[in-house]
Amino acid sequence: MSADINMNIRIKKNDDKGIILNVIKKLKEFTKNGEKHFKIDSVVIKEDKKNATELRLENASEEDLDTYINNIKKDICINGMGPYGNYDSLLSTNIFQSLANVNCGVEFEGSFSGFNNGGNISLDADMHDGMLHLIEYFELDEDHDKYVNFFEEVLDFSKFCSLFEINEDDYDIEDYEDFLPDFLERLSSYPSMDLEEFLEYFDTSINEDKYEKILEELSMFDIAYFETYNEDYNLNALISYYVYNPATGETNEDVEQKEKALQIKKKNIEQIKSKFNNKIEELISLE
């Protein structure tokens, strides 16, 4: 699997240094391919405090680890790259599950995030109260189309024309749909689409100051950004929720968490529509 993945893990402070040491040792096993056909690279561990000494995990001896962990008084932050190699999914690597198996009392949070040939992917982990909670995400090509459609729903064609002082009778919805992908891509990056470029799509009587003010205000809304839309508003995003029980070794779908996340998204959608509409009315009234 061709991929560019970043790894971040925070192991919570624990008075039993032996537990922490064993978790770190287990993680070190994944810095070599072995029989797994994948590995994590450039793994650095560091205490969560200013000017803390870093330790490169791949090169650390057992004695180095023992000395380092026994001097730790705060959470441990671990950064690395990967996993790289052959695996079906981030979940199937069982890296987080293996850390949870070391001791059910250990608490940690972690993530793998990046992209492969299929698009953006991530796996978030939260180990607490003896259970490992996992969220796996895959970005789909159609998610980008859904994003444009959602923005069009929030800012419909008629309001768009009023906002940018366009004669609605001169254009139709297809003109707006052709315009939106380019406009949104530029809105969430720098530089945004300037007025001269905008005029290649629509004639408008708007002045440049008001145009820039509108762009500034729109860019402050999180739906100007695809990643935020997909995480917080896309009801059909390919996001899976699991809970892993180290005591039994079983991984099951977390139906309760999935439904809770869905309800939060529905609430987010209603809130953003209301806030966005209020802002649009305010911007339309600007002189």
Side-chain angles (χ1 to χ4, degrees):
M1 175 179 286
S2 176
D4 185 3
I5 309 293
N6 293 314
M7 179 190 75
N8 294 282
I9 300 173
R10 175 185 288 270
I11 301 177
K12 303 296 181 63
K13 175 184 174 183
N14 193 309
D15 292 333
D16 188 339
K17 299 298 178 64
I19 292 177
I20 302 299
L21 181 61
N22 288 334
V23 172
I24 298 296
K25 286 180 179 178
K26 174 58 66 175
L27 185 64
K28 187 179 179 182
E29 294 179 10
F30 290 95
T31 62
K32 299 177 182 179
N33 282 85
E35 298 178 356
K36 297 182 290 293
H37 305 297
F38 63 83
K39 66 176 184 175
I40 50 178
D41 270 337
S42 306
V43 182
V44 174
I45 63 177
K46 179 181 178 181
E47 186 176 8
D48 186 19
K49 69 177 184 179
K50 290 183 178 179
N51 304 317
T53 302
E54 295 183 350
L55 185 66
R56 185 72 173 259
L57 187 56
E58 292 99 316
N59 303 326
S61 67
E62 188 165 331
E63 183 179 353
D64 291 334
L65 285 174
D66 188 60
T67 301
Y68 189 87
I69 298 303
N70 277 301
N71 287 322
I72 292 288
K73 294 182 172 63
K74 298 181 179 294
D75 293 356
I76 297 176
C77 298
I78 305 171
N79 300 302
M81 301 173 66
Y84 295 125
N86 297 317
Y87 51 87
D88 294 329
S89 68
L90 290 171
L91 182 70
S92 72
T93 64
N94 289 316
I95 294 176
F96 290 132
Q97 294 94 313
S98 295
L99 300 185
N101 286 339
V102 172
N103 189 293
C104 292
V106 70
E107 293 191 353
F108 65 83
E109 297 174 352
S111 69
F112 295 117
S113 61
F115 64 87
N116 61 16
N117 292 334
N120 291 332
I121 57 175
S122 69
L123 177 66
D124 295 331
D126 187 358
M127 176 70 185
H128 61 85
D129 298 326
M131 303 293 281
L132 177 64
H133 302 268
L134 298 154
I135 304 174
E136 189 170 37
Y137 162 80
F138 294 92
E139 179 184 308
L140 303 174
D141 290 339
E142 54 262 37
D143 289 330
H144 291 269
D145 295 332
K146 294 173 188 172
Y147 166 54
V148 175
N149 293 338
F150 181 72
F151 194 91
E152 181 185 343
E153 179 184 341
V154 177
L155 180 62
D156 64 38
F157 178 56
S158 182
K159 286 184 179 177
F160 166 77
C161 289
S162 297
L163 179 61
F164 286 98
E165 300 179 15
I166 297 166
N167 186 342
E168 187 175 347
D169 294 334
D170 292 341
Y171 301 94
D172 54 35
I173 189 65
E174 285 76 18
D175 295 310
Y176 186 39
E177 292 171 345
D178 291 340
F179 160 80
L180 268 182
D182 189 21
F183 178 71
L184 290 175
E185 182 178 358
R186 297 290 298 279
L187 183 63
S188 59
S189 60
Y190 182 84
S192 296
M193 180 182 290
D194 60 32
L195 183 54
E196 185 176 346
E197 293 172 291
F198 185 89
L199 288 169
E200 295 177 9
Y201 289 95
F202 300 100
D203 288 327
T204 174
S205 58
I206 198 171
N207 64 56
E208 190 160 359
D209 286 343
K210 183 174 180 179
Y211 176 78
E212 293 294 337
K213 174 65 175 176
I214 290 171
L215 291 192
E216 179 183 353
E217 293 290 342
L218 292 183
S219 67
M220 293 175 66
F221 278 88
D222 57 9
I223 55 170
Y225 305 90
F226 167 75
E227 291 79 8
T228 308
Y229 156 76
N230 218 24
E231 181 176 342
D232 294 342
Y233 302 101
N234 186 0
L235 297 175
N236 298 306
L238 190 53
I239 302 176
S240 300
Y241 299 84
Y242 302 98
V243 60
Y244 172 72
N245 186 343
T248 64
E250 293 182 351
T251 301
N252 295 302
E253 185 179 5
D254 193 338
V255 177
E256 181 180 347
Q257 183 59 33
K258 181 177 181 179
E259 180 59 29
K260 185 184 297 184
L262 190 63
Q263 294 306 316
I264 290 173
K265 283 187 177 183
K266 289 179 178 179
K267 185 176 180 179
N268 289 344
I269 289 172
E270 294 307 312
Q271 289 179 341
I272 196 64
K273 285 182 176 179
S274 176
K275 290 179 181 178
F276 198 84
N277 284 332
N278 289 339
K279 176 56 67 173
I280 295 304
E281 294 300 326
E282 178 185 320
L283 291 172
I284 288 174
S285 65
L286 284 177
E287 295 297 332

